[in-house]
Amino acid sequence: MTRAKRKLEHIKYALTTGNNGQAGFADIHFVHQSLPDLSLDDVTLNTVIGELYLSSPLFINAMTGGGGAKTQEINEQIAIAARETNTAMAVGSQMGAIKDKSERPSFEIVRKVNPDGIVFANLGSEATVDQAKEAVEMLRADVLQIHLNVIQELTMPEGDRDFKGALERIHAIISSVGVPVIIKETGAGISMETAKKLASVSPFAIDAGGYGGTNFAEIENSRRKRILEYFNEWGIPTAVSVVEITHGAPSIPVLASGGIKGADDILKAISLGASAAGMAGPLLKTLMQDGLDALISEISELKEDMKVMMCALGRPTIQELQMAPVMISGDSFHFLKQRGID
Ligand code: FNR
């Protein structure tokens, strides 16, 4: 199967699989404050993470890799939505376009339609320094994401089987690529131990990419004859992973993604210590099912809802929201307690 066909299958199955509601956010509870002492007009969403300025803590996470007219069209529409809502966006893996230059236009379109926006390039941890530089150059990217996807590769019949040396390659890329590097998971979450290892190479940020949303084991299992059932429910729920990372890598900014479904999940993730939150599958679903205008409306409403809830919580900035108290119940409480994180 060609890479382009595989990417289209990922999109198709991403729309029909996934563990909605198991990312742990139902276990996270805000503590209501009846005297917020601020006006809705005082609430601002902009946030600064290191050298990166974001107009809101929401970013559109990596989705479509290159290949073919269909993925080019999807990338173009996501880039228009990002531009119209002033939202940072990541592209999907650019490895295909590095290996086959004819795939470059499906990424270059992003910069063409969104020349001034914040754009994240994307490659896997198998990438070399030269490939990382090429991915950044292809998009004049502001940031590079490196994804970790062991579960997807092992479930994919044609996937990688050798995961040696990833941290060393990531270190080499961080040292010389020239833009901030985010390390992200793709739906299995990042543990305290992995976060600690990642912190040793000083990434710009770590994105939990936790369990509970788009599920690549299920997507790949939909494409194979002998199903690896055991990977379908494998991973650290996103809410738990965010806390694990803050403990394993206390000095590194944390991003939350994986099963973020609404503005409340974004704010809960920030209250747990994240600096920003990414959404992929739900936004793709809106685009594919309801079109570009619906996607733009959804992103605008997410931002409006964030502001309304921040007003109710008496937290006018993202920085202050990070300090808001939350109550953790259920499985997430027990998970963290047994991990020694209280
Ligand atoms: C993805 N994701 C992804 N991530 C990545 O780093 N590189 C990639 O090429 C892709 N490709 C991709 C394709 C499709 C169709 C989807 C839906 C997702 C993973 C994505 O960035 C994110 O980590 C997960 O999807 C979890 O977030 P959601 O979807 O639950 O919000």
Side-chain angles (χ1 to χ4, degrees):
M1 174 175 297
T2 64
R3 185 186 287 264
K5 180 137 188 281
R6 192 169 76 228
K7 300 286 177 193
L8 286 177
E9 286 202 356
H10 286 165
I11 292 169
K12 178 176 136 196
Y13 290 120
L15 300 179
T16 53
T17 57
N19 298 289
N20 284 333
Q22 294 176 34
F25 292 107
D27 291 337
I28 313 300
H29 309 272
F30 294 124
V31 181
H32 174 65
Q33 306 297 340
S34 302
L35 287 170
D37 196 29
L38 59 88
S39 137
L40 181 56
D41 287 342
D42 298 333
V43 179
T44 57
L45 294 179
N46 48 33
T47 179
V48 183
I49 310 168
E51 65 233 66
L52 188 67
Y53 174 90
L54 298 178
S55 67
S56 94
L58 169 66
F59 63 96
I60 304 170
N61 220 345
M63 281 183 269
T64 45
K70 188 70 198 162
T71 54
Q72 179 163 335
E73 187 189 325
I74 294 171
N75 272 343
E76 179 176 17
Q77 298 206 320
I78 292 172
I80 293 171
R83 181 190 69 205
E84 294 303 308
T85 58
N86 195 13
T87 303
M89 69 168 283
V91 299
S93 175
Q94 294 164 262
M95 192 55 93
I98 287 169
K99 292 190 170 158
D100 174 358
K101 306 292 177 225
S102 73
E103 288 189 13
R104 279 181 67 116
S106 53
F107 291 101
E108 288 163 345
I109 190 78
V110 168
R111 254 313 169 214
K112 231 176 251 171
V113 303
N114 189 11
D116 304 318
I118 302 282
V119 174
F120 302 171
N122 185 288
L123 283 176
S125 61
E126 75 282 10
T128 64
V129 169
D130 284 346
Q131 288 169 335
K133 286 181 176 168
E134 188 176 340
V136 169
E137 165 273 318
M138 197 184 298
L139 290 165
R140 284 183 285 113
D142 303 278
V143 173
L144 171 67
Q145 288 182 325
I146 301 274
H147 65 258
L148 307 175
N149 67 339
V150 172
I151 298 302
Q152 179 187 11
E153 295 294 343
L154 286 174
T155 316
M156 200 185 335
E158 67 273 39
D160 289 342
R161 296 291 181 264
D162 177 2
F163 305 102
K164 285 188 207 145
L167 191 62
E168 288 75 15
R169 285 190 295 278
I170 290 170
H171 189 197
I173 289 170
I174 289 173
S175 307
S176 55
V177 76
V179 293
V181 176
I182 294 170
I183 313 299
K184 76 185 283 280
E185 245 290 352
T186 47
I190 289 184
S191 69
M192 182 162 50
E193 294 82 1
T194 301
K196 199 169 179 183
K197 286 186 195 168
L198 291 173
S200 73
V201 299
S202 301
F204 171 68
I206 300 175
D207 180 344
Y211 178 83
T214 298
N215 183 329
F216 268 96
E218 267 193 71
I219 292 173
E220 295 300 344
N221 271 328
S222 308
R223 302 175 55 240
R224 56 181 290 153
K225 280 201 184 74
R226 194 175 83 76
I227 291 173
L228 309 187
E229 189 103 37
Y230 44 84
F231 278 148
N232 280 350
E233 294 186 11
W234 186 290
I236 306 169
T238 300
V240 171
S241 178
V242 166
V243 180
E244 290 246 342
I245 300 167
T246 60
H247 279 71
S251 62
I252 309 287
V254 182
L255 308 178
S257 78
I260 302 268
K261 292 197 311 299
D264 51 345
D265 291 349
I266 298 172
L267 299 196
K268 286 176 180 180
I270 292 168
S271 302
L272 290 172
S275 300
M279 290 174 74
L283 300 181
L284 182 66
K285 218 172 257 186
T286 299
L287 177 65
M288 302 298 278
Q289 290 172 355
D290 304 316
L292 177 58
D293 288 346
L295 177 59
I296 291 171
S297 301
E298 181 171 341
I299 295 171
S300 305
E301 282 166 17
L302 283 166
K303 292 185 183 185
E304 191 51 45
D305 289 345
M306 276 190 254
K307 281 189 174 176
V308 170
M309 278 184 277
M310 284 168 70
C311 182
L313 291 167
R315 301 279 163 168
T317 66
I318 297 302
Q319 234 177 348
E320 283 169 87
L321 182 65
Q322 283 180 309
M323 251 84 83
V326 284
M327 230 269 296
I328 304 179
S329 65
D331 285 350
S332 301
F333 170 77
H334 290 293
F335 194 124
L336 291 169
K337 193 171 169 57
Q338 286 179 34
R339 296 279 286 152
I341 305 171
D342 281 322

